[in-house]
Amino acid sequence: MTKKKENIFDVNLFKRLFKYTKPYRVVFYGLIVSVLILGALSIATPLLVREIVDQHLVKQDYDGFVNLITIMALLLLATVVFQLLFIYYSSWLGLKMVKDIRVKLFDHMLNFRMKYFNNSSVGVLITRAVTDMERISSVFGDGLFSIIRDLLIMIVVSSAMLYVNWKLAIIVFVMLPIILYATKVFQRYMKQAFEEIRNEVSNLNSFVQERVTGMKILQLFTREVTEYKNFQEINTRHKNAWLKTVWYNSIFFAILEVLSALTVGTVVYFGGLRVIIDGSVSAGDLFMFITMIPMLFRPLRQIADKFSTLQMGLVAANRVFKILDTTSQIDNSGTIVAKDLKGSISFKDVHFRYVEDEEVLKGISFEVTAGQTVAIVGATGAGKSTVINLLNRFYEINNGEIKIDNTNIKDFTLSSLRQQTAVVLQDVFLFADTILSNITLNHPEITEAQVIQAAKDIGIHDFIMSLPNGYHYNVKERGVMLSSGQRQLISFLRAYVTNPSILILDEATSSVDSYSEQLIQNATDKITKGRTSIVIAHRLATIQKADNIIVMDNGQIVEQGTHQELLKKENGYYRNLYEVQFLQSEVA
């Protein structure tokens, strides 16, 4: 079986990327005009040098010499101006395109299912959104237009050589097939090297991001030496991938320099003989060719270099487009706007699995009356948190039906459904921002005055004011400046200010100190009053007042009832669980 030949340049991928230039077509066509002008100006200096040598230096024509030098200076000034415009606007176009693609990518990622993030490396996604984007900007900034400009210069220079002296031109052109072949080989190897580099950059980003995030665990378990060695290995692979490109460049550019020097030497030898012997080549022609040979070979070398930049940008674009082509969004075809919900909830024979052949929920059914507080308890892995994930439509159920106020949750618009539901998680995530911003999440309709009043309502205003700058205290990344209990209180306030119809507390008091727990309990009593609440807890003492307790085991509901009703069941799952916790608290 023959291996399919790999394309050095992906035309379809480039066409897709080219579509993003559409809003900036005026600049795009302006760059094309600049390229044409630069191509024309490139040949002006060699032609003027030929004219100066043959018509004015030899004849000692001072006035004509000065006039041509003046014209040459003006043309060089024009070249500088157009070159400046070309460099600026080609980079400008690339950055504008990247801005548009990055916004589109981030918006696309915002709507991915949780399953996608569960299966994806954070470091890789960051690489796609940041590092790869910078590579894409170079496709137009340092790639395409530079290649077009250099190709045009080569065409103009080659034409001028043929026009002035075709014999000397043939000597120059003999070297071109060798250079073109070397360039083709160089491009193929460079594309493979750049693919390897992108993979190693992603691996490096993922490794560093995870280790920095989990630094506390590494230090607690004294894994510094092991992780240092792992990092050395990854960093070495990253270095070696880059060294391949350095090696390929070193070989290629050395070959070009040798060929260029040989060509100049050959032209000087044969051209000089013709100047001396029969005058079939003028001194001006010889000077012109010596000037133009680097102009022909240097763009060819630059084209290879820019082509590598172009390839690297296209590799990055291909990776980004793969994410943009990923269809991992929750179906948002619902048309009903969830507003002022009463909060009744119904699960009917709901089945769900995160992966095939591993069912997490095995046909559970239960009802929650509007305004009730319902607790869900069970061992780790029983499916408790899965219930709330499905209620918020972070995942889609495989079978069954979930209703709120007798309406299937799929019939609601996704954003309005989630706006009516507030969740307080055990692991509270806070952004590196002020307490106020973490509470409002920059919602324009939630004012600071409303936040302060809400904090007073649930009894945590004094705690916030005890911090430096109060509500404007910066909690740093992931809220590291606060204790777990303090982060939990911020999370309660964040849920309360949204005035949700349904409140979900997922292990909200499982890892806080006694003082914070009392504040949280008071806050819980306040924010659950008059609204449907679902409380997931390991500590049964916190849910004794619940209107209904659902006991889950291995993805099924095994018991339901109030605290007192469940305690009356001989050998009941809840009763056994409660007695174990009670005995543990007695021993403690």
Side-chain angles (χ1 to χ4, degrees), residues 164-182:
V164 172
N165 192 304
W166 65 269
K167 293 180 180 179
L168 292 181
I170 293 299
I171 295 174
V172 176
F173 296 160
V174 165
M175 292 294 184
L176 287 181
I178 301 174
I179 296 176
L180 290 173
Y181 177 76

Side-chain angles (χ1 to χ4, degrees), residues 191-201 237 240-241 244 319:
K191 182 176 182 180
Q192 295 173 358
F194 286 144
E195 285 279 7
E196 186 176 345
I197 286 173
R198 299 315 310 148
N199 288 331
E200 295 304 333
V201 167
R237 293 201 303 268
N240 290 339
K244 283 185 180 180
R319 294 174 181 272

Side-chain angles (χ1 to χ4, degrees), residues 424-426 488 492 505-512 520 524 536-537:
V424 179
L425 300 171
Q426 175 186 2
Q488 200 66 263
F492 268 82
L505 308 179
D506 187 2
E507 308 285 1
T509 61
S510 62
S511 59
V512 298
I520 289 174
T524 301
I536 296 176

